[in-house]
Amino acid sequence: MRSEQIKTGVERTPNRSLLYALGYTDEELSRPLIGVVSSYNEIVPGHMGLDKIAEAVKAGIRAAGGTPVMFPAIAVCDGIAMGHVGMKYSLVSRDLIADSTEAMVMAHQFDGLVMIPNCDKNVPGLLMAAARLNIPTIFCSGGPMLAGRLKDGRRTCLSHMFEAVGAYHAGKLDEAGVADYTENACPTCGSCSGMYTANSMNCLTEAIGMALPGNGTIPAPLSARRRLAKQAGMQIMELIRRDIRPRDIMTPAAFHNAETVDMALGCSTNTMLHLPAIAHEAGVTIDLDEANAISARTPNLCHLAPAGDTFMEDLERAGGVYAVMKELTKKDLLDTSLLTCTGKTVAENLAPVQ
């Protein structure tokens, strides 16, 4: 185990004394040490529930015979940062997240990682770190927000807020109407309910094979999200047992699959900022001309907000990312031979999907 570097032998007794200071027992230290990278904070709605997800992940790790060790990752809320100097800090936070996670993992020699991201730059930043570090890793996002509902019964989301501001200045919406949107557009914890960057990247994490089914679409408030987190915590132990690493999963063909799913879902164009950066860390080059070719042959199957009037919860009810992938296999648009974090191939994962 990598963690032997910090816990085993006479030469490492000073290190071990500090682990004792943390309250770890010999029994806990004899097991693989699993870094639980929690992006929990109290300023990003997508992250306000990640403390509960982290606890569920830790429960899963313990159930499967590992010792969880949690440490934090930062995250910027693009919506709150928008419209002022704060937006200059959003994209660069991605690399800060990757670098700081690398520093923590290399300094403390974890045997495996469970990444718990949710929002725009936080997801790709942790995927970059996973590819760079290349130790067994699995992702479990915090999940999407439920759609809002206005007083007249119409469903709504964050992008409608910007339209409401425009309508107000155009004299088409009064202050009470603006207040209706403001109070109801973002009703729960979770990443904003449309196919914006956060949900796009969480869906593509699933498509590329680094997260279990449901990672991109199970709504944040549902108990199914906590069950998924426990399953991710248990599955990291299987990845360690089989020595399945991120670069075994994040291959050139896996990125092509992700781009295909990207086009089918109608993901945020910001994925074309993030996928090449993640691929670079995995030693893969994404050719943007090839992305155009993939786009040309891939049907756009979903029109989620802001492109349409359906939301992430609707995609989940329709079968989620795997349902979309199953449809794409009917046109032979995916490489289904690829290994994923389930320990199975894409084909095996999709076999039970109707």
Side-chain angles (χ1 to χ4, degrees), residues 190-228:
S191 46
C192 297
S193 56
M195 189 56 82
Y196 309 112
T197 305
N199 290 327
S200 295
M201 291 307 306
N202 283 323
C203 287
L204 296 187
T205 303
E206 190 176 334
I208 208 170
M210 287 296 293
L212 298 176
N215 179 76
T217 55
I218 296 173
L222 299 192
S223 295
R225 175 60 59 176
R226 294 197 193 184
R227 293 197 297 272
L228 181 70

Side-chain angles (χ1 to χ4, degrees), residues 94-104 125 128-129 132 281:
R94 183 190 72 182
D95 296 81
L96 290 172
I97 291 161
D99 293 346
S100 59
T101 301
E102 177 192 3
M104 287 294 289
M128 290 166 64
R132 186 185 301 174
E281 298 291 352

Side-chain angles (χ1 to χ4, degrees), residues 40-306:
Y40 168 75
N41 63 49
E42 295 182 341
I43 188 61
V44 183
H47 293 226
M48 63 185 285
L50 295 189
D51 55 338
K52 304 298 189 297
I53 299 300
E55 288 303 315
V57 164
K58 288 161 67 178
I61 292 169
R62 291 191 185 101
T67 297
V69 184
M70 187 167 64
F71 65 89
I74 64 168
V76 168
C77 178
D78 277 28
I80 295 174
M82 198 174 295
H84 58 91
V85 69
M87 203 58 190
K88 294 182 178 180
Y89 291 84
S90 176
L91 183 55
V92 296
S93 74
R94 183 190 72 182
D95 296 81
L96 290 172
I97 291 161
D99 293 346
S100 59
T101 301
E102 177 192 3
M104 287 294 289
V105 173
M106 294 304 294
H108 302 105
Q109 293 293 295
F110 295 106
D111 298 300
L113 297 168
V114 182
M115 305 290 203
I116 308 176
N118 217 30
C119 286
D120 291 23
K121 310 310 182 294
N122 179 246
V123 182
L126 290 179
L127 281 166
M128 290 166 64
R132 186 185 301 174
L133 290 160
N134 200 36
I135 65 172
T137 303
I138 194 169
F139 277 68
C140 182
S141 78
M145 185 183 290
L146 293 173
R149 193 171 292 275
L150 299 174
K151 291 177 180 177
D152 63 8
R154 287 179 296 149
R155 292 198 298 169
T156 187
C157 62
L158 180 65
S159 56
H160 293 166
M161 279 303 316
F162 299 99
E163 296 170 14
V165 172
Y168 173 79
H169 287 298
K172 297 180 180 179
L173 190 67
D174 61 16
E175 290 187 8
V178 172
D180 189 8
Y181 277 101
T182 305
E183 293 164 11
N184 295 302
C186 300
T188 69
C189 64
S191 46
C192 297
S193 56
M195 189 56 82
Y196 309 112
T197 305
N199 290 327
S200 295
M201 291 307 306
N202 283 323
C203 287
L204 296 187
T205 303
E206 190 176 334
I208 208 170
M210 287 296 293
L212 298 176
N215 179 76
T217 55
I218 296 173
L222 299 192
S223 295
R225 175 60 59 176
R226 294 197 193 184
R227 293 197 297 272
L228 181 70
K230 291 177 184 177
Q231 290 162 355
M234 290 185 279
Q235 184 60 20
I236 188 58
M237 301 306 296
E238 176 68 8
L239 295 179
I240 289 171
R241 186 184 70 80
R242 294 178 56 184
D243 195 29
I244 296 174
R245 298 168 181 251
R247 292 186 200 175
D248 299 326
I249 295 170
M250 290 196 277
T251 62
F255 281 101
H256 293 159
N257 278 0
E259 289 177 287
T260 301
V261 174
D262 185 334
M263 303 308 168
L265 288 173
C267 289
S268 165
T269 54
N270 283 337
T271 61
M272 287 296 101
L273 282 175
H274 301 314
L275 285 178
I278 298 161
H280 176 75
E281 298 291 352
V284 174
T285 299
I286 287 183
D287 184 341
L288 294 183
D289 289 333
E290 192 168 8
N292 285 334
I294 290 171
S295 176
R297 65 174 178 260
T298 304
N300 178 212
L301 300 178
C302 302
H303 293 85
L304 293 112

